[in-house]
Every structure is written in structure tokens, then in C-alpha cells.
Amino acid sequence: MATILAEPSAPTPAHVDPDGAERGRGLSSPAWAPAPAVAAALTLALHLALPDRQPPSSGRMFVGLMAAMLAGSLAMAALRRTSGKLGAWARYRSPLAAGIILTLAAWDLLTLKLAWLPMPYFPDPERVLGAMWEDRDALGLSAFHSLRLLACGYAAGAAAGLACGIVIGWSRSARYWGMPLLKLVGPIPATAYVPLAMVMFPDAFASGVALIAVAVWFPVTMLTCSGVADVPAAYLDVARTLGAGRAHLIFRVALPSALPSVFLGLFMGMGAAFLTLIVAETLGVSSGLGWYLKWKQGYLEYPHVYAALVIMSLFFSGLMTLLFKARDRAMGWQKGAIRW
């Protein structure tokens, strides 16, 4: 009896471009082409036609923003017809752009036009944009101080976490003594160490760096330790057979194999660092986004509070994007598995 051998199918690549994936074809269909422009035109028309139910602001920044979005939407619609990266980007991002514009429209309707969300706790987009422009110098300086504090704390915590994770994951003796300490100290929120940090570090900046470092240290240590300890024994045996020493085994075999777990710890550490940053900036500092937020909230200047929140979201999203870029560069075989 003849045996029929089927030709093996090609393996599914780890990175699939969403513009060409089956699940993304609906969002890239031509029906979405006019959606951003229609949403921007509708938002602009409603803003100009409907009467204001709240005291209007003197500025016209929201109208300018919607006009700029309308122009950008028309340019995006033109790009959809082209090939290459720009055309693929426009086809994939058009539904998202329409959703962002409609969200701004709903915000404007619920606050300024319908007054369903009361002042001063829910300002309209015009007031928030005006606050961002009015306090642009203070917001820029606060963002710089927050970035400096976050970078110092995150770098210190990530370095300590990587060192502890490698040692505990590689050495059985270190794991025996280190894991109980991690289980005892690690789950405590970093913000609970505020009184201790204020005593140990009289300087507000140093205490903030220490708190952020502690918040980053635990997830990086745990996941690095897990990744190093779970390296397949076959990898190590092959490297030993080829004459690799301990340093080569750790830094050229175990650590590259543990990179997925390491970057997961770095991502979790970034989230913990940003949460701790807001608390750390209340420890006597006179600058930073957390300090600015608390200051404006005390005076009930909620347009400035929302302006700081917008800056924070852009700030954190930008840092996460940089971290994803570093992950994609270090782990090319998993590029695009998780998109940001």
C-alpha cells in the first residue's frame, strides 16, 4: 500500500501584520475611509450649532483642534488609496481616529452643550485646552521633573531587580534564602514605605527615587528569577559540552532565554513606578506632575487638573512605547506579538 505523505504546511510566523491579518480586514475596508472626516465634520458642526448650557470659554481652541483633525482626516483618507507603509498605516488607524474624534464630541456634548456633567468637576474640552496652553511652562517643567525622578527610580529598581533575579534564579543557595525574603517584603506596596523613606532619606528627591526603586525592584526580581530558573537544562548542557564557563552560561545562555520574563517584569515595574511617582511627588517636592495635580485640585481648578491628566497619559504612553521598542529590538522573534 502506498503511503501518501502530505507536504508540511508552512509554520505560522510569530509576527503577523494586523493590516494583512484576517481579523483586521474589516477595519481596513474602504467603508471606513470617510469615517474620521465625517466624525470631525459632525463634531465641528454640533459644537458651532448647539447653544452652550454652561458659561462659555473665551477661547476657540476646540474649534481649531477639530478643524485640524478634519484636515488630517482628509489627508488620511487620501493616504488610504496609496500603497506602502503610509497607506497601510492610514487604513489600519482610520477607525481609531474616528473613535477618538467621537469621544471628544461626546465630551463636548455632555459638558458644554448639554450640561449633564456639572462644573467645576467636569470642564469642557475648550477649558482643558485653554488650561494646557495657559500653564504650558509650568506643565513642561513639571513633566521634566517627573521624568527625572521616574528615570532615576526606575533605573535603580530595574538594575537591582535584574541583579537579584539573576543571582536568586541561578544559585540554589541564594534562592533558599532569597525567596522567603521576597515573599515577605515584596507584596508590601511601595507607598507603605513612605514614613521609612522620609526618615532614611531627608532629601525629598532621594526618598522619591527610593520608593520608585522599591516598586520596580519586586516585579523585575521575581520574573527575572523565574525566567532564569526555568531555562531548559538542554541549553545549559549543550553550552557546557562546548566548554562554556559560568559567566557564559549566565549571560549568554540563561539571561537571553529569560528575556520574555525579564521584559514582562520591566513592563510591570513601569506601571508600578508610575503609580508610585504620584505619591512620591507629594513628599515635600515643589515640582512634578503629581505635585501640580494636587496643587490645582486644592484650588478647585479642575481644567488644570484634567490638563495634567492628559499630559500624564501621553507621558506614560510614550515611555511604554519606548519600552516596547526596546523589547522588539532585543527579542526580534517576538516582534509584534503584543502591539502598543
Side-chain angles (χ1 to χ4, degrees):
M1 179 180 296
T3 303
I4 299 176
L5 298 178
E7 182 180 355
S9 58
T12 302
H15 169 60
V16 179
D17 188 357
D19 301 314
E22 183 69 26
R23 60 186 178 184
R25 289 180 182 174
L27 295 178
S28 301
S29 66
W32 283 101
V38 170
L42 179 62
T43 302
L44 188 59
L46 290 175
H47 179 80
L48 295 175
L50 294 178
D52 298 335
R53 297 292 182 88
Q54 292 180 351
S57 177
S58 58
R60 305 285 289 177
M61 297 187 68
F62 186 72
V63 174
L65 177 63
M66 285 298 105
M69 285 189 168
L70 178 58
S73 300
L74 293 174
M76 182 178 288
L79 284 175
R80 286 178 61 98
R81 299 177 177 274
T82 64
S83 58
K85 292 184 178 181
L86 285 178
W89 176 85
R91 286 188 292 273
Y92 185 66
R93 297 297 180 182
S94 291
L96 181 61
I100 292 173
I101 295 171
L102 291 177
T103 300
L104 292 175
W107 181 9
D108 187 55
L109 288 174
L110 293 175
T111 52
L112 181 64
K113 299 303 179 180
L114 299 177
W116 288 358
L117 299 177
M119 289 283 290
Y121 306 106
F122 299 98
D124 57 272
E126 179 64 46
R127 284 183 168 82
V128 175
L129 292 172
M132 293 178 67
W133 178 254
E134 176 187 346
D135 260 13
R136 58 189 182 277
D137 294 334
L139 284 170
L141 185 62
S142 296
F144 168 75
H145 285 284
S146 293
L147 178 61
R148 185 183 64 170
L149 179 59
L150 182 67
C152 293
Y154 186 80
L162 285 171
C164 293
I166 292 172
V167 171
I168 296 174
W170 182 261
S171 171
R172 291 184 178 180
S173 299
R175 192 180 311 128
Y176 177 82
W177 296 104
M179 287 303 296
L181 179 63
L182 286 175
K183 294 177 182 178
L184 180 66
V185 177
I188 301 176
T191 53
Y193 295 110
V194 168
L196 185 61
M198 296 179 67
V199 172
M200 295 181 63
F201 304 95
D203 180 70
F205 181 80
S207 62
V209 169
L211 285 175
I212 295 173
V214 170
V216 176
W217 167 78
F218 176 65
V220 174
T221 299
M222 286 297 296
L223 287 164
T224 301
C225 169
S226 174
V228 171
D230 290 340
V231 173
Y235 295 177
L236 303 176
D237 292 339
V238 170
R240 289 192 185 99
T241 303
L242 296 176
R246 176 177 296 181
H248 188 96
L249 290 174
I250 294 175
F251 295 104
R252 301 298 298 273
V253 179
L255 190 57
S257 179
L259 277 180
S261 296
V262 171
F263 274 100
L264 182 57
L266 292 174
F267 287 128
M268 294 179 64
M270 179 64 76
F274 200 76
L275 291 175
T276 309
L277 172 70
I278 308 304
V279 177
E281 288 181 336
T282 63
L283 303 180
V285 300
S286 58
S287 58
L289 291 173
W291 167 83
Y292 180 91
L293 188 69
K294 185 177 180 181
W295 172 40
K296 292 299 182 180
Q297 185 181 10
Y299 286 96
L300 297 180
E301 296 183 2
Y302 280 90
H304 295 81
V305 171
Y306 281 82
L309 291 175
V310 170
I311 298 297
M312 284 181 182
S313 65
L314 297 176
F315 183 57
F316 182 64
S317 179
L319 292 176
M320 289 294 290
T321 300
L322 292 177
L323 194 54
F324 267 94
K325 294 292 185 182
R327 193 280 312 265
D328 289 343
R329 181 174 292 273
M331 297 164 50
W333 70 90
Q334 286 192 349
K335 184 178 180 181
I338 300 177
R339 300 177 65 89
W340 179 260

